[in-house]
Amino acid sequence: MAKKAVATFAAKAGAKSMVKCIRMDKSPKTGAYVFTEQLMEAEKAKEFFNKK
C-alpha cells in the first residue's frame, strides 16, 4: 500500500514540494510526549517546527 500512496502523490502537479513533518511535543496535562504530524509544503516546514 505504501508504494501506491507514493505513486499517487508523485502523479499530482507540485507534489514534489510536499513534505511530512512530525514534531514531538510535551502534553501540558499529563507530561507525556505526543507526536504532531502534518503534510505540508516544504516552504512552510520551518514555521511548523518553530511553533510551540
Side-chain angles (χ1 to χ4, degrees):
M1 286 301 265
K3 288 185 178 183
K4 185 174 184 179
V6 171
T8 306
F9 288 136
K12 294 181 181 177
K16 292 183 180 180
S17 64
M18 299 294 284
V19 293
K20 183 175 184 179
C21 298
I22 303 171
R23 179 179 62 215
M24 185 172 67
D25 295 324
K26 197 168 191 175
S27 173
K29 291 182 181 179
T30 63
Y33 287 101
V34 292
F35 294 93
T36 307
E37 302 181 12
Q38 198 168 10
L39 187 67
M40 62 179 50
E41 295 177 7
E43 295 84 27
K44 296 181 182 179
K46 285 188 179 183
E47 295 173 16
F48 175 76
F49 289 115
N50 289 334
K51 286 188 218 173
K52 292 232 175 183

